[in-house]
Amino acid sequence: MKKQKWNQNWYFWKDGNENQKQLINLPHDAMLTEERVPELPNGNASGFYPGGKYLYEKIFMGEEILAGKVVLVEFEGIYMNSKVFLNHEEVGGWIYGYTNFYVDLTDKIRIGEENVLTVIADNSKTPNSRWYSGSGIYRDVNIYIGEKEYIMPDGIKVTTVSTLPAVVEFQIEAKKEEHTLIETEIYLLGKKVAEGMGETFRIEVPDAKLWDAETPNLYEAKSRLVKNGKTIDEFGISFGIRNIDWNAEEGLLINGNSVKLKGACIHHDNGPLGACSVYKAEYRRVKKS
């Protein structure tokens, strides 16, 4: 399926204040639009910002290219208690504020007309967190467009079975007809090193370059659906081959070697930028760690 970010040109307003509707780009932290309240019960943990109920709206044209296609929309993070509507019909939602979810718009989009996607994010029942949670659509929104047979987004799971020899197991989730084939090729630095077939299979990777913190070698897997000799969908992921274990005596072991963990409890917010996930801010934080 073809994946595109769908962050541009959303309307936002607080419930009951539609006359204050504003045009924004996502990600967005609605909590920062609130006035601070000194006597707030969860005060310092939430920056003295209260919660609320917020609405987001995306108006888009039902282009002919969408006719007969599978259309999925992924919300990477909405805080919280969300509901999603297409042209006033409820099509999905998610209670939890810290995981992604998908809504299926297939065969619901009005072709040749304007369509309205509405998201309600209800964070009015506060306090509900021990830290700053933010509110609203604080992470990317993505739209997936593809054929009726397709590999599910996040549908490729790779598990390291062993490192000596290097054996990996693939589990591929796809919506397809019985006779449609799944073919997978594995590459290292652009060179094909192995291949397999089917929804589940194990394969040995010759002369494998293992992953660890000092040598983070990554392989690329490309899976595709093949029908009557023609590729009708494809999806790719990167993965590392490594074994992770731990015990009370040696602690964390990666590929049999003891590794000392260094880090801290880092919450998802970006300080004064709020909960919205800004790429440059996330990159800076990783670079400094």
Side-chain angles (χ1 to χ4, degrees):
M1 303 183 77
K2 185 178 180 181
K3 174 184 176 181
Q4 303 175 53
K5 289 193 182 299
W6 222 31
N7 291 333
Q8 304 299 310
N9 299 322
W10 287 73
Y11 288 99
F12 163 79
W13 68 97
K14 186 173 182 179
D15 187 36
N17 294 331
E18 189 170 0
N19 59 328
Q20 298 178 12
K21 182 185 296 188
Q22 54 184 297
L23 186 64
I24 63 166
N25 295 326
L26 303 176
H28 177 258
D29 184 357
M31 186 171 275
L32 292 181
T33 66
E34 298 285 354
E35 294 290 332
R36 292 184 175 184
V37 179
E39 64 275 13
L40 200 68
N42 203 32
N44 61 345
S46 64
F48 297 91
Y49 286 107
K53 186 176 182 180
Y54 311 97
L55 288 91
Y56 295 83
E57 184 179 84
K58 175 78 169 178
I59 301 173
F60 65 99
M61 191 66 184
E63 299 177 4
E64 289 294 333
I65 192 174
L66 300 177
K69 302 289 187 180
V70 169
V71 181
L72 307 177
V73 177
E74 177 190 17
F75 296 92
E76 293 188 9
I78 300 178
Y79 203 87
M80 54 183 297
N81 292 320
S82 63
K83 293 184 178 181
V84 183
F85 300 81
L86 178 65
N87 300 323
H88 309 292
E89 175 189 350
E90 187 169 351
V91 292
W94 203 244
I95 295 175
Y96 192 52
Y98 291 118
T99 51
N100 70 322
F101 67 97
Y102 299 86
V103 295
D104 191 344
L105 305 186
T106 305
D107 299 327
K108 296 183 176 69
I109 295 173
R110 298 172 182 170
I111 303 301
E113 302 179 31
E114 279 193 342
N115 292 260
V116 181
L117 189 72
T118 306
V119 178
I120 300 174
D122 189 351
N123 190 26
S124 59
K125 296 179 181 179
T126 58
N128 54 41
S129 180
R130 294 181 291 108
W131 51 77
Y132 181 84
S133 66
S135 297
I137 307 179
Y138 67 94
R139 290 223 166 108
D140 288 333
V141 176
N142 305 304
I143 185 169
Y144 293 77
I145 303 171
E147 303 298 328
K148 294 292 186 179
E149 296 181 74
Y150 60 95
I151 298 171
M152 297 288 291
D154 303 322
I156 303 176
K157 178 182 178 182
V158 184
T159 304
T160 299
V161 178
S162 66
T163 55
L164 290 173
V167 177
V168 292
E169 179 179 273
F170 277 78
Q171 294 175 297
I172 302 170
E173 186 180 359
K175 292 194 174 182
K176 68 180 189 68
E177 295 180 355
E178 181 179 356
H179 299 294
T180 300
L181 303 177
I182 303 179
E183 299 179 353
T184 300
E185 296 177 336
I186 301 172
Y187 294 84
L188 178 64
L189 300 176
K191 179 181 178 181
K192 186 168 74 171
V193 296
E195 58 186 352
M197 293 191 65
E199 296 177 59
T200 303
F201 63 90
R202 290 186 177 186
I203 191 167
E204 182 174 339
V205 180
D207 302 318
K209 304 291 185 181
L210 301 185
W211 181 98
D212 59 34
E214 286 69 38
T215 54
N217 298 300
L218 290 179
Y219 288 80
E220 184 180 7
K222 295 181 180 180
S223 296
R224 60 178 182 267
L225 298 185
V226 179
K227 187 171 187 177
N228 299 324
K230 180 182 178 182
T231 298
I232 58 175
D233 190 37
E234 58 185 2
F235 201 82
I237 64 167
S238 297
F239 68 95
I241 301 175
R242 80 288 182 270
N243 178 64
I244 296 179
D245 198 4
W246 58 91
N247 59 60
E249 290 73 31
E250 299 171 287
L252 176 67
L253 301 171
I254 298 180
N255 302 328
N257 300 315
S258 179
V259 175
K260 304 301 181 184
L261 284 175
K262 298 179 181 180
C265 180
I266 300 176
H267 290 159
H268 74 287
D269 60 284
N270 284 302
L273 298 180
C276 55
S277 181
V278 181
Y279 177 81
K280 289 184 177 179
E282 306 295 355
Y283 178 82
R284 175 182 179 273
R285 181 155 59 175
V286 171
K287 190 175 180 179
K288 285 174 63 69
S289 62

